[in-house]
Amino acid sequence: MPTKDEEAMTLAEKHYQIEAGLTQIFRITGSAEVELRPLEPIKLLEVNENTVPSGIMPIQFGPSPASGLYYPSIILEVTPDEFQRIQNQELKLPNGWKVGDLIPRPSTEQGQ
Amino acid sequence: MNEPTDWALGYAQQANADSRAWELYEQHPEAVAAECHKLLFLQMACEKLCKAHFIRGGTPVEVLQSSHGYVAKQLPTVIKRQIILMRQNLNGMQGVLTLVRRLAEEIDVLNPSVRRDGRRPDNCEYPWEAGGQVVSPLNWRFHPLRLCNVPAGRTFIKLLREAIDRIIDELEH
């Protein structure tokens, strides 16, 4: 079974692979205490130039061990402009979440 | 006080019923008075599926009960997850997802409350005015139906069914 960090990387790589408009994917992190909980979802902030603006509305998925996804996950998709507003703190993430590390696009994808 | 999970399941079950109605119309086209009726069920199924996922993500149900227009943004994310769960080989799926984004925007405007600043009055429930004339949904040729019939559109319909079944299964267990 992968760690939560490993699964977050795998999920992000697959998203990059099938989404032409995805420019960046970041981890979202809660407090250290919350993130240590085994069932705390993987949280990804996806910057997508093909999506429409609608503010901060995360959606959650359950785990699917049979398909290799062992943890619940939350996806928050934003436009590049919304991402800038998050960076400027004009838009707030809920639950005290912070924008975490960038998960870069895999090198094999960069030429596509 | 009901839990968010109860609400999410309620929305997902309603999405399932709406989607089943769409599927019945697919099997029995003679039962459909007009394209708009068939599309109404597709639009409602997609909207309730998205709302079920929103509720799971922490959006208060009160925010969603009287608001619309979430399909364009969230349906592609829901379908993207379903693709990853069900398809080992992701080759070709970028094209499917590109079509799903176009389709999701068109499905969103089928709701009469989503008008895109008046630029898209066409919807599958009420007449609207265009070029000085009243246009009825009964006589309108809707773009989403054509998109649903191309190969990637048929894949989308299968993924939509799988996504509805999956969320119900997850919420019931």
Side-chain angles (χ1 to χ4, degrees):
Chain A
M1 180 170 156
T3 66
K4 206 183 283 185
D5 287 345
E6 288 167 343
E7 187 165 306
M9 292 285 285
T10 303
L11 200 52
E13 283 173 14
K14 289 183 175 181
H15 285 192
Y16 276 127
Q17 192 179 343
I18 58 172
E19 270 275 17
L22 265 182
T23 56
Q24 291 167 303
I25 301 177
F26 295 87
R27 294 288 295 271
I28 296 175
T29 56
S31 68
E33 181 194 352
V34 166
E35 290 299 327
L36 284 174
R37 294 176 191 158
L39 293 180
E40 177 63 15
I42 292 166
K43 298 179 285 293
L44 300 180
L45 172 68
E46 302 194 343
V47 186
N48 192 328
E49 57 190 16
N50 290 340
T51 194
V52 293
S54 68
I56 304 298
M57 296 190 79
I59 63 174
Q60 182 163 344
F61 299 96
S64 289
S67 300
L69 298 178
Y70 296 88
Y71 303 95
S73 55
I74 288 177
I75 307 295
L76 174 55
E77 187 180 83
V78 296
T79 65
D81 180 61
E82 287 173 327
F83 179 63
Q84 195 57 53
R85 293 172 64 202
I86 292 168
Q87 296 289 74
N88 297 341
Q89 302 193 336
E90 294 166 35
L91 278 178
K92 300 263 188 236
L93 299 183
N95 309 316
W97 294 347
K98 306 275 185 212
V99 178
D101 293 336
L102 171 69
I103 303 177
R105 182 178 284 274
S107 55
T108 52
E109 293 291 312
Q110 283 174 350
Q112 295 188 3
Chain B
M1 184 95 174
N2 287 301
E3 295 292 322
T5 307
D6 300 321
W7 281 105
L9 180 58
Y11 273 87
Q13 288 171 329
Q14 198 63 38
N16 183 44
D18 292 339
S19 176
R20 293 285 179 210
W22 156 275
E23 289 160 8
L24 275 173
Y25 279 160
E26 283 278 271
Q27 292 161 20
H28 303 284
E30 72 282 2
V32 187
E35 286 183 349
C36 59
H37 299 127
K38 186 174 165 183
L39 283 169
L40 180 61
F41 284 107
L42 179 65
Q43 182 271 324
M44 292 194 298
C46 293
E47 183 166 298
K48 285 162 193 151
L49 174 63
C50 291
K51 287 183 173 181
H53 280 283
F54 273 134
I55 295 167
R56 287 183 98 186
T59 302
V61 70
E62 297 78 19
V63 172
L64 300 170
Q65 279 171 327
S66 59
S67 55
H68 308 281
Y70 301 113
V71 174
K73 174 98 167 196
Q74 299 300 354
L75 188 63
T77 303
V78 172
I79 296 299
K80 180 165 63 183
R81 170 54 56 97
Q82 198 58 36
I83 289 172
I84 287 171
L85 291 178
M86 303 306 294
R87 309 292 190 274
Q88 290 291 322
N89 184 351
L90 298 178
N91 290 340
M93 287 296 116
Q94 198 176 80
V96 172
L97 206 53
T98 299
L99 179 127
V100 169
R101 283 205 180 271
R102 282 180 58 204
L103 196 46
E105 287 191 28
E106 290 296 320
I107 290 171
D108 230 2
V109 298
L110 293 174
N111 188 311
S113 70
V114 179
R115 296 172 59 88
R116 301 274 186 263
D117 299 323
R119 287 177 287 113
R120 292 298 303 269
D122 48 315
N123 71 88
C124 57
E125 287 188 72
Y126 299 106
W128 63 91
E129 193 176 272
Q133 296 204 322
V134 175
V135 180
S136 167
L138 291 171
N139 304 318
W140 190 249
R141 283 188 62 79
F142 287 94
H143 195 47
L145 266 187
R146 293 197 294 278
L147 291 178
C148 285
N149 285 325
V150 302
R154 290 194 289 273
T155 302
F156 159 71
I157 293 294
K158 284 182 198 160
L159 290 163
L160 178 67
R161 162 53 44 209
E162 292 167 0
I164 292 170
D165 290 344
R166 178 176 51 80
I167 190 173
I168 290 175
D169 186 57
E170 287 176 5
L171 290 167
E172 284 181 339
H173 298 97

